[in-house]
Amino acid sequence: MHTVVLLPDKRKIPVGKIICLGKNYAEHAKEFGGDVPKSPIIFLKPSTAIIENGVDIVLPPLSKNVHHEVELTVLIGRSGKNISKSEAMNHVAGYGIGLDMTMRDKQSEAKKEGNPWSIAKGFDTSAPLSPFVPKASVGDPYNLDIKLSVNGKQRQYSNTGKMIFKIDEIIAFLSLAFTLEEGDVIFTGTPEGVGQVIASDIIDAEISGVGSLHHRVVALKSK
Ligand code: MG
């Protein structure tokens, strides 16, 4: 069972679903020549993708182009189905920072061929997650600076105010299809500036008032 930590008492919470949004920042949607989506683009990662802060990100030999995506993550604290937008925030336990590591070449191939891209997004170590801070400790989740650097050079820098679908809308939308359960994690999408990492790179990422991540990138050891 894979767990995440909820501060301040460091309670360990088993993770159920990891639900991710695609193209939830306009400038990132543009990077891929895409329009801003009319409704949320949703995909899932397995809980085996989770690593905690500091653990190495392992590049699968299936890809020649693994990208970083830094994202605000939301921990669900209360189960629900068909949740209204006005009730949605009552289901949030806390916020964290996550990386949505992506085999971009595999994702692009799959998109082109109309195939699922689960493997491109769901491989082991593709979901580094910080401890979660309680919702009450984050004043406004739509005014948080979000940034990521590789080897000390800044690659991504934005503000969560620029997300297209807000957290209450996302929860209301998802709960029309999924029962949301305590321990589910939502990745709210990445801002612009995504790019490749290679073995021995160091990734540092931070969301002000929420948390930070520090990871080394390594290649999968051959047998
Ligand atoms: Mg993403």
Side-chain angles (χ1 to χ4, degrees):
M1 185 68 82
H2 294 265
T3 58
V4 290
V5 169
L6 180 59
L7 299 172
D9 53 359
K10 298 187 180 171
R11 187 155 67 95
K12 282 198 167 179
I13 298 175
V15 176
K17 297 180 282 304
I18 305 172
I19 309 173
C20 309
L21 268 81
K23 295 185 179 171
N24 201 28
Y25 286 75
E27 291 301 316
H28 171 62
K30 268 193 220 164
E31 287 183 314
F32 291 91
D35 294 330
V36 169
K38 291 188 179 64
S39 68
I41 296 170
I42 304 300
F43 59 93
L44 300 171
K45 287 178 188 270
S47 61
T48 43
I50 294 172
I51 52 172
E52 63 183 43
N53 182 32
V55 174
D56 289 349
I57 293 168
V58 182
L59 302 173
L62 300 168
S63 176
K64 291 185 168 59
N65 191 15
V66 173
H67 275 198
H68 55 77
E69 299 187 359
V70 63
E71 312 199 2
L72 177 69
T73 57
V74 176
L75 178 66
I76 297 295
R78 206 177 98 196
S79 297
K81 167 86 180 171
N82 196 10
I83 301 164
S84 68
K85 203 174 137 186
S86 61
E87 275 288 309
M89 297 311 283
N90 296 332
H91 292 261
V92 173
Y95 300 105
I97 177 172
L99 302 180
D100 169 17
M101 300 304 297
T102 303
M103 292 194 251
R104 192 68 73 199
D105 45 359
K106 289 287 150 197
Q107 184 195 29
S108 302
E109 269 170 36
K111 277 182 178 173
K112 210 184 304 167
E113 289 162 20
N115 291 327
W117 28 272
S118 304
I119 200 167
K121 288 284 197 177
F123 60 92
D124 288 356
T125 76
S126 67
L129 277 171
S130 71
F132 286 81
V133 295
K135 177 179 58 178
S137 73
V138 175
D140 178 2
Y142 309 118
N143 189 20
L144 303 171
D145 284 337
I146 177 168
K147 58 186 178 186
L148 178 143
S149 66
V150 177
N151 304 327
K153 275 199 171 167
Q154 192 164 281
R155 297 263 190 102
Q156 296 190 266
Y157 183 74
S158 188
N159 187 280
T160 55
K162 293 183 178 171
M163 68 171 71
I164 298 165
F165 298 105
K166 307 298 187 198
I167 295 159
D168 53 354
E169 290 176 271
I170 295 168
I171 288 174
F173 176 83
L174 290 174
S175 74
L176 295 173
F178 301 109
T179 298
L180 295 178
E181 298 180 300
E182 182 183 16
D184 286 347
V185 173
I186 300 170
F187 277 67
T188 59
T190 194
E192 69 276 17
V194 302
Q196 187 179 12
V197 286
I198 56 172
S200 84
D201 280 348
I202 302 289
I203 300 177
D204 282 287
E206 186 181 2
I207 299 178
S208 51
V210 169
S212 61
L213 291 169
H214 177 82
H215 293 275
R216 185 174 62 144
V217 179
V218 300
L220 184 69
K221 285 198 184 82
S222 56
K223 281 201 165 174

